């Protein structure tokens, strides 16, 4: 057994782990980064990047199918999944190569192998021990399943959905959260008949209710069926397809069942609890500075309770590196983390929902601006809206504490929305800003003009 020491040993090379490694090395710390699979983790190889590549292919398919509607003679001859997968895998491969080069160039000791946290400051990898002054746990997440439901054959998770070699004719998507509605959107654009089953009363249930209403309306127009407020009771499969049974007594026939009921923390078998790390339902508990119950041991990313987003883990990794280096970075505001669902239309939000704002601030004022009044949105032929939530009753001053958007490409607006929220901007602060015309950012400007009491492109 060989021992190796470093200022920082990181277990997990996904978004949180590699960001922490890069920033720590930049700050002059010696770093060991341990990853059992591929550098970049779920986000790069089985999550964010490949799914968004599929969503772009879906957007191109829709554009080809609908070209005649804007005077462009085009049609969709079909979907070549081998070609789609080649495009998707090429994007992943280029980013993977670039990330490997970054880690190598920073002098990080990259260890490929399955690591176990042996505590109090040691990670063991296949007989070797890596001892850190500080340790960061960043082992990510896995696709959840439901009790009694066996994944295999025609019952798949997002991992298998990314490697399909053909477009299914009929799909049932179990789960109406981010992963479920994104795959539903892709498959519908590729020509499949899609039904989404969600046990909660609405799609994207963690978003403001306004977003759910807008998305469900758009999905109906796209002929994506959504069965909300109904529970799944079981599924059976044979060579011809899969039958999905619902608590309502209804049965759905499909070629595939996608299980998209969220992701679980990948903490089992890594030695965390045995080493004294406090966990709850598999998640590692931390304080606001991401310190675990074991001294000098931090946790970042999907294993920490909260939003399971790659950019959250990425920022947490940077935060921890700077904290260890003594820079005393400000605590990350979880509500200020932007959220984007990349279906068609997109859902993007930052800050508090209306319900959360009422709970925190009491009286609130809301304003909804319809994208029908936005020139670029009309050019893109998208519908949707921007909803603002302001702290304080109508007529009283207060900051904008929530921004919620639905429409094509609104995820690209989330940067300005995040600044508005994070700077505690009042509507009157944003209203004078000049937004280029014609852009969708004007929708944000118009919404704030209206909330500041000087509406222009609005009726009533």
């Amino acid at each position: 057994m060989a021992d190796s020491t470093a200022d920082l040993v990181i277990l997990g090379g996904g978004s949180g782990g590699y960001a922490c490694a890069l920033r720590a090395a930049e700050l002059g710390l010696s770093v060991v980064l341990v990853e059992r699979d591929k550098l970049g983790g779920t986000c790069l190889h089985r999550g964010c990047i490949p799914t968004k590549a599929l969503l772009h292919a879906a957007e191109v398919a829709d554009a080809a199918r609908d070209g005649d509607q804007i005077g462009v003679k085009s049609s969709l001859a079909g979907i070549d999944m081998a070609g789609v997968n080649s495009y998707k895998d090429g994007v992943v491969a280029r980013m993977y190569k670039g990330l490997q080069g970054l880690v190598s160039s920073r002098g990080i000791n990259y260890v490929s192998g399955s690591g176990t946290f042996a505590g109090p400051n040691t990670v063991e990898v296949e007989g070797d021990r890596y001892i850190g002054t500080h340790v960061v746990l960043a082992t990510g997440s896995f696709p959840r399943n439901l009790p009694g439901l066996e994944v295999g054959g025609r019952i798949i998770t997002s991992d298998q959905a990314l490697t399909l070699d053909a477009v299914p004719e009929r799909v049932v998507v179990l789960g109406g959260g981010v992963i479920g509605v994104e795959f539903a959107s892709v498959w519908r654009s590729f020509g499949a008949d899609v039904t989404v089953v969600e046990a909660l009363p609405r799609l994207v249930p963690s978003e403001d209710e306004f977003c759910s209403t807008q998305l469900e309306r758009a999905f109906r127009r796209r002929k994506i069926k959504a069965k909300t407020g109904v529970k799944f009771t079981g599924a059976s499969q044979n060579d011809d397809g899969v039958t999905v049974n619902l608590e309502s007594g209804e049965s759905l026939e499909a070629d595939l069942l996608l299980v998209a009921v969220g992701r679980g923390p990948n903490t089992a078998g890594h030695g965390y609890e045995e080493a004294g790390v406090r966990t709850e339902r598999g998640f590692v508990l931390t304080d606001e500075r991401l310190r675990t119950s074991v001294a000098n041991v931090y946790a970042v990313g999907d294993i920490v309770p909260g939003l399971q987003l790659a950019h959250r883990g990425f920022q947490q990794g940077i935060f921890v590196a700077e904290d260890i280096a003594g820079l005393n970075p400000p605590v990350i505001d979880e509500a200020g983390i932007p959220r984007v669902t990349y279906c068609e239309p997109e859902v993007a939000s930052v800050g508090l929902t209306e319900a959360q704002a009422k709970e925190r601030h009491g009286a609130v004022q809301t304003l909804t601006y319809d994208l029908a009044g936005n020139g670029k949105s009309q050019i893109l032929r998208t519908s949707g809206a921007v909803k603002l939530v302001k702290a304080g009753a109508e007529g009283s001053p207060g900051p904008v504490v929530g921004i919620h958007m639905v429409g094509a490409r609104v995820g690209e607006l989330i940067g300005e929305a995040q600044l508005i929220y994070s700077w505690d901007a009042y509507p009157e602060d944003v209203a004078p800003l000049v937004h280029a015309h014609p852009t969708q950012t004007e929708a944000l400007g118009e919404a704030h003009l209206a909330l500041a009491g000087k509406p222009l492109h609005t009726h009533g």
Side-chain angles (χ1 to χ4, degrees):
M1 178 179 286
D3 286 3
S4 178
T5 61
D7 295 320
L8 179 58
V9 176
I10 303 168
L11 181 54
S15 300
Y18 83 71
C20 186
L22 291 173
R23 183 61 177 136
E26 189 174 55
L27 292 169
L29 301 178
S30 57
V31 180
V32 173
L33 178 60
V34 179
E35 170 57 49
R36 71 178 181 183
D37 191 2
K38 289 183 177 180
L39 183 63
T42 294
C43 173
L44 177 53
H45 300 284
R46 297 178 302 281
C48 319
I49 299 303
T51 56
K52 277 51 181 183
L54 288 182
L55 283 154
H56 179 62
E59 182 182 15
V60 173
D62 287 334
R65 183 186 290 110
D66 299 336
D68 281 358
Q69 297 180 21
I70 57 174
V72 176
K73 295 298 181 182
S74 65
S75 61
L76 181 63
I79 302 297
D80 171 17
M81 281 307 299
V84 170
N85 286 331
S86 177
Y87 153 70
K88 165 181 63 69
D89 295 343
V91 172
V92 172
R94 288 190 294 274
M95 297 195 70
Y96 180 41
K97 183 177 179 180
L99 183 56
Q100 288 175 304
L102 274 176
V103 168
S104 176
S105 69
R106 298 285 173 88
I108 295 165
N109 180 9
Y110 180 72
V111 178
S112 179
S114 184
T116 301
F117 179 55
N121 60 346
T122 301
V123 172
E124 293 184 357
V125 185
E126 298 169 8
D128 295 327
R129 300 198 313 168
Y130 298 89
I131 303 166
T133 305
H134 296 86
V135 173
V136 176
L137 310 178
T139 44
S141 61
F142 63 91
R144 281 193 187 277
N145 196 6
L146 294 177
L149 181 60
E150 185 177 347
V151 171
R154 296 180 179 273
I155 301 174
I156 64 174
T157 69
S158 57
D159 286 355
Q160 293 82 46
L162 286 168
T163 61
L164 294 181
D165 58 7
V167 178
E169 290 186 14
R170 302 166 301 165
V171 188
V172 172
V173 177
L174 182 57
V178 173
I179 296 170
V181 299
E182 287 187 350
F183 274 103
S185 187
V186 167
W187 283 324
R188 182 59 190 149
S189 295
F190 285 175
D193 180 271
V194 183
T195 302
V196 182
V197 176
E198 170 56 55
L200 293 175
R202 53 192 176 91
L203 297 182
V204 288
S206 63
E207 295 289 347
D208 190 276
E209 191 169 348
F210 147 85
C211 293
S212 300
T213 300
Q214 291 279 328
L215 182 61
E216 288 166 6
R217 186 178 301 157
F219 270 21
R220 283 195 296 272
R221 286 195 294 267
R222 295 189 61 197
K223 295 183 171 53
I224 297 174
K225 296 179 282 293
K227 296 184 180 294
T228 55
V230 59
K231 292 183 179 179
F232 163 88
T233 57
S236 59
Q237 59 176 309
N238 55 36
D239 292 341
D240 297 323
V242 57
T243 301
V244 180
N245 300 314
L246 307 181
E247 194 175 53
S248 61
E250 185 178 6
S251 294
L252 306 174
E253 303 292 334
D255 300 308
L256 287 177
L257 169 62
L258 171 67
V259 182
V261 292
R263 297 187 65 85
N266 186 17
T267 54
H270 291 293
Y272 295 170
E273 292 186 355
E274 294 84 346
V277 175
R278 278 191 64 215
T279 64
E280 185 175 284
R281 295 179 299 109
F283 289 96
V284 175
L285 301 180
T286 71
D287 64 11
E288 63 178 6
R289 302 198 73 81
L290 300 173
R291 296 174 294 206
T292 72
S293 55
V294 177
N296 299 319
V297 177
Y298 295 74
V300 301
D302 286 358
I303 63 172
V304 178
L307 296 168
Q308 290 181 311
L309 298 170
H311 47 280
R312 172 181 180 253
F314 186 87
Q315 193 61 35
Q316 287 178 335
I318 294 172
F319 171 89
V320 165
E322 293 182 350
D323 201 57
I324 290 170
L327 300 185
N328 194 32
V331 170
I332 298 169
D333 176 8
E334 290 275 320
I337 297 171
R339 310 174 292 275
V340 183
T341 304
Y342 295 88
C343 53
E344 173 54 43
E346 290 183 352
V347 178
S349 61
V350 66
L352 307 178
T353 66
E354 181 178 350
Q356 290 169 337
K358 285 178 178 177
E359 186 176 334
R360 184 177 300 186
H361 298 286
V364 300
Q365 181 183 359
T366 65
L367 186 287
T368 301
Y369 176 78
D370 198 306
L371 293 184
N374 178 257
K376 188 58 180 286
S377 295
Q378 288 300 303
I379 292 167
L380 295 174
R381 303 177 69 250
T382 187
S383 59
V386 174
K387 176 179 176 180
L388 305 181
V389 181
K390 178 186 76 69
E394 184 174 355
S396 65
V400 175
V401 295
I403 300 175
H404 309 276
M405 302 177 284
V406 179
R409 304 186 188 179
V410 294
E412 302 302 323
L413 309 183
I414 203 64
E416 181 179 355
Q418 183 185 24
L419 290 175
I420 292 166
Y421 169 82
S422 297
W423 287 350
D424 294 323
Y426 283 42
E428 295 79 10
D429 297 326
V430 182
L433 300 179
V434 180
H435 293 83
H437 176 75
T439 64
Q440 286 184 293
T441 62
E442 288 179 286
L444 275 175
E446 292 273 0
H448 284 84
L449 277 167
L451 196 55
K454 39 186 177 181
L456 291 183
H457 293 96
T458 57
H459 296 281

